[in-house]
Amino acid sequence: MPTAIAVTSADLVLPPTVPGTPQAAVLPPPETRSLDASLADMQQLLARYGHVVVVCPTAAPAAVEHRLRAVRALLESDRIALVRTDLPPLGAAVLVRQLRQLAGYDFSPGILASAARLLAHYIYAGAVLGSVSRLDHVPVSLGSHLKGWLPGAHFAVLAGPTPQIVRLGSRSGSASGSRSASGFASGSRTASGSASGGESLAGPEFATELLLARGQLQTDWPTTTLVPRWRIPGPVHEAPLPASSPGWWGTGKLVEFAAYLPDPAVLHQLVSSVRREICHWCGMELIGDRCGFCAAPLPPAAPPPPDPGTRALGPGPREGGYALGPGARTARPALP
């Protein structure tokens, strides 16, 4: 029985690219559904699938998260995972489709829930914007803000895995603060300054496909420049612009894009190659450093066992592999 993948918006459900991809369950927004009805919806999913992984973007209204947490608490169920993602709307929809594809394999619910953080590092999500003055989800430098007032200014913005902003049509771009994505759970930020000589968006070093969603901005930059620069071999696919995209990017003058791993077999191999652990709190399987169901972090690794060749004589400072007693003095080298 596959694990159910649920979403908080219909915009997060993309058409399947391979046959047999499980559908996603769309949970109605709290303003259109009573709490009792939301409880009944979740009970039906649990009865049919056993476990439910709900993908909820961090940019979703607070009422959406509150409703999900209330449903999980009232049902007293440990079979509901609430997965948050910082990806922009189109990138989040790609992530949901990848989780749906993986749900057709034999992965346990815990692996599916924790795999979302891993997969997000392999989705290059961005947009071409007519303005960055209201962009809140990606760090914007003062220089980019000032250049945004120039007539006809367009910006190529990468939200993840490493945030970056480049002004199009200029010989030098300005990059805002970037977040390193090296490592599964890295969240550190580094600062990068202006670059000269025609800076470009940092692209993937693996084969991807590109998905576009067009807003009110008239530009072919993603297909004429980004595709050859990122060496994307396949055709460019298009989807309707998610309703939440203008709010996420701060403008309706945009073309949103996402480059991603298209082959489910590659996704399966990627997730299978990560070491599996057992959550010490709820007992679910997980990959990475945090459980996808209860959010408990992995406990720190146990210290290595002591060297059997050493011999402890007391709690004092060590000298030559032995612990000196409280009254002993450390030997000093003779003066020359």
Side-chain angles (χ1 to χ4, degrees):
M1 180 183 301
T3 301
I5 305 298
V7 294
T8 56
S9 170
D11 289 338
L12 296 177
V13 183
L14 294 172
T17 56
V18 294
T21 301
Q23 291 294 324
V26 180
L27 303 178
E31 62 269 18
T32 65
R33 198 77 165 163
S34 67
L35 179 57
D36 290 340
S38 297
L39 289 170
D41 293 340
M42 189 60 70
Q43 285 177 323
Q44 290 181 359
L45 288 175
L46 291 173
R48 181 177 179 182
Y49 295 97
H51 292 80
V52 180
V53 174
V54 184
V55 180
C56 178
T58 55
V64 175
E65 181 185 2
H66 294 164
R67 172 61 60 87
L68 292 172
R69 295 193 181 278
V71 167
R72 188 169 61 177
L74 291 174
L75 292 178
E76 297 182 350
S77 176
D78 57 356
R79 296 181 292 156
I80 303 172
L82 180 57
V83 175
R84 309 304 305 274
T85 177
D86 294 327
L87 288 171
L90 191 64
V94 169
L95 174 63
V96 169
R97 185 166 62 185
Q98 291 180 336
L99 290 176
R100 290 162 52 197
Q101 292 170 342
L102 291 177
Y105 290 94
D106 57 350
F107 289 119
S108 67
I111 296 298
L112 277 177
S114 55
R117 297 178 64 208
L118 170 65
L119 297 178
H121 287 301
Y122 293 88
I123 297 175
Y124 283 69
V128 182
L129 306 179
S131 172
V132 294
S133 60
R134 297 183 179 179
L135 180 59
D136 296 329
H137 296 281
V138 178
V140 182
S141 67
L142 178 60
S144 293
H145 272 299
L146 295 177
K147 291 177 182 179
W149 293 100
L150 297 177
H154 289 171
F155 296 88
V157 181
L158 194 63
T162 302
Q164 187 181 7
I165 298 177
V166 175
R167 186 187 173 214
L168 302 183
S170 64
R171 304 187 66 179
S172 64
S174 62
S176 301
S178 61
R179 177 168 43 197
S180 172
S182 60
F184 188 165
S186 174
S188 60
R189 289 177 180 254
T190 59
S192 61
S194 297
S196 59
E199 185 186 10
S200 61
L201 293 184
E205 299 180 356
F206 45 86
T208 61
E209 287 187 0
L210 190 70
L211 181 66
L212 291 183
R214 299 185 182 273
Q216 301 174 7
L217 187 65
Q218 299 298 322
T219 177
D220 293 325
W221 184 86
T223 55
T224 59
T225 302
L226 194 63
V227 166
R229 186 168 292 170
W230 284 4
R231 300 178 181 178
I232 298 175
V236 176
H237 306 279
E238 294 202 21
L241 185 71
S244 56
S245 291
W248 201 97
W249 293 103
T251 178
K253 295 182 178 181
L254 80 159
V255 175
E256 193 170 4
F257 59 83
Y260 58 95
L261 292 168
D263 191 349
V266 175
L267 297 175
H268 182 275
Q269 182 180 6
L270 175 65
V271 175
S272 300
S273 64
V274 181
R275 178 179 175 179
R276 302 187 183 190
E277 306 281 355
I278 299 296
C279 177
H280 67 95
W281 184 259
C282 68
M284 300 291 284
E285 278 190 309
L286 64 94
I287 58 176
D289 61 356
R290 187 173 298 275
C291 178
F293 273 80
C294 70
L298 282 180
D307 187 352
T310 63
R311 179 182 175 187
L313 299 179
R318 289 186 175 274
E319 176 77 1
Y322 293 91
L324 303 180
R329 292 186 176 181
T330 303
R332 298 181 178 179
L335 295 175

